[in-house]
Amino acid sequence: MPTSNDLSLILTGKDEKYSGYDELIEVPKILHIDGLMEIWYHVNKMKFETEVNNYIHAIIREYTLCARVDKGNSENIKPSSGLCSGCHFNTEQSVCNKIDSILSVRVAKDLLRYSKALAWLLNLNIVDINIVNTIAPYIISHRVKYTSRELEKAPFWGNKYEFTKHVLEEIKKRYINRKPCYEIATRFRDGTPEVNDLKMLDNYAMNDLIVKFDLISFIKSVKAKKYSKLARKIDIAVKNGDIKSLSEIRNNLIDDLEFPNRAYLINWCDQELYKQTVSDFTFKYSHQKEVWVEIAAEFPNLDQPLKEALSKRQTKQIRAEKVLIETNVTGTDEDSIVNIQVSGGANALKLRSLLENLEYIEKEG
């Protein structure tokens, strides 16, 4: 809120609602939509460390989990109304006992999206958990309801932003302490668990809701022998860069609706196929018809969707067998930039080779 002196200056100044903005002092326009589309495209491509995914998950779950009730479906039973009394998890270091509301999946998306944007703005190569922690208080503080007894005591005195920073520091400490458990979950995911892994998880679960409700549940879903066997097969294919095997495993999983933890394995295959085949290209909009014709001649099934994708300013994804194409048309002037990203299986490699041989296309990276 402005001070009395500041407010006096504001009220004696010109009201632009009556007379419009002063061209000498108004904020200048510094971006055209073409540039903005290009920025969004590059922000979206920002890489993030593996632990960022686990850390964002940890933030959302620390704000959400409760050993007694489902906070998302509980109207009146809350920490502020006595829910935590006598609970084993009701400690000074806990987060669950300080929060009445929960965070949505949309918050998780926002945390990653704005962390990528900040990393891009700072010219960093990758997003880490420190970037997430920097941006998180701005995203979370206005979306959550804390218990008054915690929020209003010293040194926060009702300041939700400062209290959110404090809570996030506690979450970060708990996340770092939990790292061995994520490593155990990864070993089970890859089909290579060790003898004492479950015993260690049980010890952590006594004081950690995420281990108790999320990690142990995940491990129970992947303990089946056939899961371990296939997970090891995927891991070997990843290490050998065997795109053909990864594609075959993925396609078989699509058809096998009963396979344990199927969605996770499909996503694993998708992520690895993306990493091993992804390529980015740029060209001027003046060449969009030539690009469309060249690709359609080799891949007739991409003819119409690619034509539509390149027809106007927009970002589109085109999925076909063993290939994913993302196009980003920043504008329709002759010199407007078009980005095209290719990933997937064998067809992605074939398409990548085709694009690399077109002289008016530039490969990024």
Side-chain angles (χ1 to χ4, degrees):
M1 186 67 185
T3 64
S4 297
N5 185 58
D6 291 335
L7 192 57
S8 176
L9 292 172
I10 291 169
L11 294 178
T12 55
K14 186 179 71 172
D15 190 338
E16 66 274 4
K17 291 288 186 182
Y18 295 126
S19 55
Y21 289 97
D22 187 334
E23 293 182 359
L24 296 176
I25 62 171
E26 67 177 317
V27 176
K29 178 181 178 181
I30 59 173
L31 278 178
H32 294 286
I33 187 63
D34 292 30
L36 192 57
M37 292 284 287
E38 180 78 357
I39 288 171
W40 288 346
Y41 179 78
H42 288 293
V43 166
N44 186 47
K45 282 169 50 184
M46 282 292 302
K47 294 180 173 61
F48 52 93
E49 294 179 353
T50 302
E51 66 175 358
V52 164
N53 196 24
N54 286 334
Y55 186 56
I56 290 176
H57 163 264
I59 291 173
I60 302 301
R61 296 300 278 166
E62 289 275 20
Y63 270 83
T64 303
L65 283 173
C66 174
R68 291 179 168 176
V69 300
D70 178 354
K71 280 187 179 179
N73 292 315
S74 177
E75 290 287 332
N76 300 312
I77 307 176
K78 302 175 182 178
S80 60
S81 60
L83 170 63
C84 305
S85 180
C87 178
H88 169 71
F89 292 94
N90 186 22
T91 67
E92 184 66 28
Q93 290 74 35
S94 293
V95 174
C96 55
N97 58 0
K98 300 173 176 59
I99 302 161
D100 275 350
S101 60
I102 66 171
L103 294 178
S104 67
V105 173
R106 187 172 65 178
V107 177
K109 290 283 190 181
D110 287 346
L111 284 170
L112 183 57
R113 181 184 301 121
Y114 291 116
S115 294
K116 283 182 172 183
L118 179 58
W120 177 86
L121 188 63
L122 296 175
N123 199 29
L124 301 177
N125 294 323
I126 196 166
V127 180
D128 62 19
I129 65 172
N130 294 315
I131 287 287
V132 177
N133 242 35
T134 299
I135 207 75
Y138 299 98
I139 294 172
I140 293 172
S141 59
H142 65 286
R143 297 183 178 186
V144 68
K145 184 177 181 181
Y146 295 109
T147 58
S148 297
R149 67 175 180 273
E150 295 289 341
L151 177 62
E152 294 175 5
K153 67 183 182 183
F156 310 108
W157 308 121
N159 187 319
K160 291 184 75 174
Y161 172 78
E162 292 298 331
F163 188 68
T164 302
K165 283 176 61 179
H166 166 70
V167 169
L168 286 164
E169 284 303 317
E170 288 298 321
I171 290 175
K172 185 177 177 182
K173 291 176 188 174
R174 292 164 63 82
Y175 169 78
I176 292 170
N177 185 56
R178 191 185 303 118
K179 274 192 175 183
C181 300
Y182 291 117
E183 292 167 4
I184 291 171
T186 298
R187 287 198 288 273
F188 272 93
R189 184 206 72 177
D190 295 346
T192 58
E194 297 177 1
V195 176
N196 293 321
D197 280 349
L198 284 177
K199 184 177 180 181
M200 182 180 289
L201 279 181
D202 286 337
N203 289 336
Y204 271 88
M206 292 190 296
N207 297 295
D208 192 311
L209 288 172
I210 289 178
V211 176
K212 181 180 177 69
F213 290 110
D214 289 352
L215 298 187
I216 289 181
S217 295
F218 167 75
I219 284 166
K220 285 180 179 177
S221 74
V222 301
K223 282 178 66 179
K225 285 186 178 179
K226 66 176 183 177
Y227 174 91
S228 298
K229 184 177 178 180
L230 186 60
R232 284 195 294 271
K233 190 175 179 181
I234 294 173
D235 192 43
I236 291 170
V238 168
K239 290 173 180 174
N240 292 336
D242 189 347
I243 294 170
K244 182 180 178 182
S245 294
L246 282 172
S247 296
E248 288 175 355
I249 293 169
R250 181 194 180 279
N251 292 338
N252 290 336
L253 284 167
I254 292 290
D255 296 330
D256 189 352
L257 300 180
E258 301 301 320
F259 200 90
N261 207 36
R262 166 178 167 269
Y264 186 88
L265 292 175
I266 291 172
N267 184 62
W268 185 11
C269 289
D270 283 341
Q271 292 300 315
E272 292 302 331
L273 284 168
Y274 173 83
K275 289 177 187 176
Q276 298 198 31
T277 61
V278 64
S279 300
D280 294 280
F281 302 88
T282 62
F283 58 91
K284 291 185 178 180
Y285 190 76
S286 58
H287 294 296
Q288 61 93 8
K289 287 185 179 178
E290 294 150 88
V291 173
W292 157 47
V293 169
E294 290 282 354
I295 295 176
E298 192 69 36
F299 301 91
N301 59 323
L302 297 177
D303 183 1
Q304 192 59 32
L306 192 61
K307 180 182 179 181
E308 292 175 0
L310 297 176
S311 65
K312 59 183 179 181
R313 176 188 284 129
Q314 61 182 334
T315 299
K316 294 276 285 185
Q317 281 193 348
I318 304 169
R319 292 183 181 273
E321 185 179 1
K322 299 179 183 177
V323 65
L324 170 64
I325 302 172
E326 181 170 320
T327 60
N328 179 55
V329 181
T330 65
T332 55
D333 293 334
E334 291 283 292
D335 290 332
S336 294
I337 297 298
V338 179
N339 309 100
I340 184 166
Q341 184 181 85
V342 177
S343 62
N347 283 340
L349 297 178
K350 188 177 178 182
L351 178 54
R352 182 173 73 184
S353 179
L354 184 155
L355 294 173
E356 286 173 343
N357 290 320
L358 298 178
E359 61 181 16
Y360 45 79
I361 289 186
E362 181 179 344
K363 187 176 181 180
E364 294 185 12

